[in-house]
Amino acid sequence: MFRINENYLKLPGSYLFSTVGKKSKAYMDAHPDKKVIKLGIGDVTLPLSPTIIAAIHKATDEMAHKETFKGYAPDLGYEFLRSAISKEYAGRGAEIAIDEIFISDGAKSDSGNIGDIFADDTKIAVCDPVYPVYVDANAMSGRTGDYNPETQRWSSVIYMPCVSENGFAPEIPDEVPDVIYLCFPNNPTGSTITKSELQKWVDYANDNKAVIVYDAAYEAYISEDDVPHSIYECDGALTCAIEMRSFSKNAGFTGTRLGFTVVPKALKAGDVSVNSLWARRHGTKFNGAPYIIQRAGEAVYSPEGQKEISAMVGYYMNNAKIIREGLESAGYTVSGGVNAPYIWLKTPGSMTSWEFFDYLLENANIIGTPGSGFGPSGEGYFRLTAFGTYESTVEAMERIKKL
Ligand code: MLT
């Protein structure tokens, strides 16, 4: 008789954005006359930029001819893309070799899959609130202990509360973790830390033989000078950090799918190279991102591509400003939205995050994401994304101001 992975049965409810999607659809089906504005999941609304589209067309044409047709992509990624990424790191003072870069279909998959190479009894530490993939994926592998619906915490996870008192930045935990998940600029709070603060985490990880899984999916949104774009800007990060990056938010690839993970060769568990383990895992379970999309990724690094994507980021950051200022003038307490496309607001009065979700949907026809969906310390908070259109963002703020 077959048996299932019972760890899945311990998972509470459905994936956060599936729940938001289902609730929103139920409302829209029941009220087809309402113009609902979606500022929930961080999905982009601008089309791919001209240089990227041109690269996709060109690569598509190559696929139409015997001489230039491509079959399976190299499982770790095409050299042209890995080399463009390596050069970008060099521009930030980080020496990342081509064979330390693994091309994938996005940071979500990589951050969910990275746990495959760690021991079953690995103790993880996460920010609270946190992007739910890190915790759920570890729960699926049975490393998080038991879930307590009352505290909304897993018994074996080390939570690092990120609350207004600490500027939504994690503090070194009392118990030493094996794997530390950090995401900066942060999803969901939009907070960041300075390079010297990140350096403290790198030193701590090296001192304690822990590894940092660093999600830098939102680095393109950094506007302040002393905020690091990569953990490899810190000394010693090559021996303790894995970094994930995405093309979704900086270049609009949410529908085309492309990302990468850096696993430095200097990162070792005893004398075992973590880079080789990830190469083994990636080569076995992943057949390479599509050639056409990797060419599109390469175009992102061209001078024209860089100009276009920075205009795209500027467009979304203008939305972020509109949301921040709009909410502040409506009397909300707001953070984020300066180095990140997410705005984190305190729900009014004693409303819970889900109560505010319903309130905003029913009274302003706006969809956002309840903070408690990201973890217990997110209760009483709410996340809005700057990835809507300019017009819908302006309208959303007008509706909120009228509430
Ligand atoms: C989010 O809204 O948190 C993200 O868009 C989800 C994701 O990138 O998977």
Side-chain angles (χ1 to χ4, degrees):
M1 192 179 84
F2 80 95
R3 293 178 56 228
I4 51 144
N5 175 351
E6 293 194 358
N7 296 316
Y8 279 65
L9 303 181
K10 295 184 184 174
L11 290 164
S14 56
Y15 181 59
L16 171 63
F17 292 106
S18 312
T19 311
V20 168
K22 273 186 219 139
K23 281 188 80 127
S24 309
K25 183 172 181 307
Y27 181 84
M28 289 188 286
D29 288 349
H31 304 88
D33 53 315
K34 303 277 190 208
K35 191 178 155 229
V36 173
I37 298 176
K38 296 181 184 170
L39 302 179
I41 189 162
D43 195 4
V44 295
T45 48
L46 288 178
L48 294 171
S49 74
T51 300
I52 293 165
I53 286 293
I56 291 177
H57 284 173
K58 183 165 177 277
T60 306
D61 286 342
E62 286 178 49
M63 289 302 224
H65 300 284
K66 202 161 68 189
E67 299 72 28
T68 46
F69 170 77
K70 303 278 185 301
Y72 288 126
D75 50 14
L76 306 185
Y78 279 102
E79 195 162 324
F80 59 78
L81 179 56
R82 297 164 94 193
S83 142
I85 293 167
S86 170
K87 281 195 195 117
E88 206 242 344
Y89 272 109
R92 296 207 177 279
E95 286 302 313
I96 303 294
I98 286 178
D99 56 0
E100 295 176 307
I101 297 164
F102 300 82
I103 307 299
S104 71
D105 65 350
K108 179 178 183 179
S109 326
D110 285 350
S111 58
N113 291 329
I114 196 73
D116 282 13
I117 58 171
F118 300 124
D120 285 348
D121 58 354
T122 292
K123 190 96 179 186
I124 66 159
V126 294
C127 293
D128 171 24
V130 68
Y131 179 45
V133 172
Y134 315 149
V135 178
D136 286 6
N138 276 287
M140 288 169 180
S141 308
R143 333 196 145 90
T144 51
D146 293 314
Y147 185 71
N148 179 338
E150 256 162 53
T151 59
Q152 294 175 28
R153 288 186 172 211
W154 292 89
S155 56
S156 300
V157 172
I158 301 170
Y159 290 89
M160 304 180 290
C162 298
V163 288
S164 59
E165 290 75 18
N166 58 19
F168 302 103
E171 290 162 49
I172 303 277
D174 295 337
E175 186 183 350
V176 178
D178 303 307
V179 177
I180 304 160
Y181 286 83
L182 294 179
C183 170
F184 291 112
N186 187 256
N187 179 14
T189 65
S191 66
T192 45
I193 56 175
T194 61
K195 188 170 160 187
S196 60
E197 284 163 345
L198 186 58
Q199 183 66 54
K200 286 185 202 154
W201 283 99
V202 168
D203 295 343
Y204 172 80
N206 276 322
D207 290 348
N208 290 282
K209 300 211 176 323
V211 60
I212 297 174
V213 173
Y214 194 74
D215 183 346
Y218 300 95
E219 62 79 30
Y221 290 84
I222 293 170
S223 66
E224 291 177 328
D225 280 347
D226 65 344
V227 178
H229 287 249
S230 162
I231 195 164
Y232 303 119
E233 290 175 39
C234 294
D235 294 335
L238 291 173
T239 52
C240 71
I242 292 172
E243 178 164 292
M244 278 144 199
R245 294 260 294 265
S246 162
F247 289 78
S248 288
K249 319 288 168 152
N250 63 337
F253 280 47
T254 52
T256 22
R257 310 303 314 147
L258 194 66
F260 63 88
T261 287
V262 175
V263 187
K265 281 177 282 188
L267 177 60
K268 300 232 162 101
D271 55 6
V272 177
S273 150
V274 176
N275 176 287
S276 320
L277 289 191
W278 186 245
R280 185 72 172 85
R281 191 264 168 216
H282 207 59
T284 304
K285 293 196 179 180
F286 185 64
N287 236 345
Y291 171 71
I292 296 169
I293 306 306
Q294 293 198 49
R295 281 292 184 199
E298 180 191 30
V300 166
Y301 294 97
S302 67
E304 275 309 304
Q306 287 290 298
K307 232 187 271 167
E308 291 165 5
I309 69 160
S310 91
M312 201 180 253
V313 166
Y315 174 92
Y316 293 131
M317 286 313 279
N318 185 45
N319 287 348
K321 185 165 178 275
I322 291 167
I323 297 176
R324 265 188 23 245
E325 292 177 356
L327 290 172
E328 274 164 4
S329 75
Y332 288 86
T333 304
V334 181
S335 60
V338 175
N339 294 296
Y342 294 126
I343 293 89
W344 190 240
L345 61 120
K346 183 87 198 73
T347 57
S350 56
M351 258 192 218
T352 67
S353 301
W354 278 107
E355 281 167 359
F356 189 66
F357 174 89
D358 291 333
Y359 171 78
L360 208 58
L361 185 54
E362 283 157 23
N363 297 287
N365 306 140
I366 296 169
I367 297 169
T369 310
S372 57
F374 297 100
S377 297
E379 182 57 276
Y381 285 89
F382 201 74
R383 193 193 79 176
L384 290 176
T385 157
F387 288 122
T389 62
Y390 167 76
E391 293 75 17
S392 65
T393 303
V394 169
E395 188 174 339
M397 288 310 110
E398 277 164 9
R399 290 187 197 175
I400 287 180
K401 282 180 207 163
K402 283 196 201 126
L403 282 175

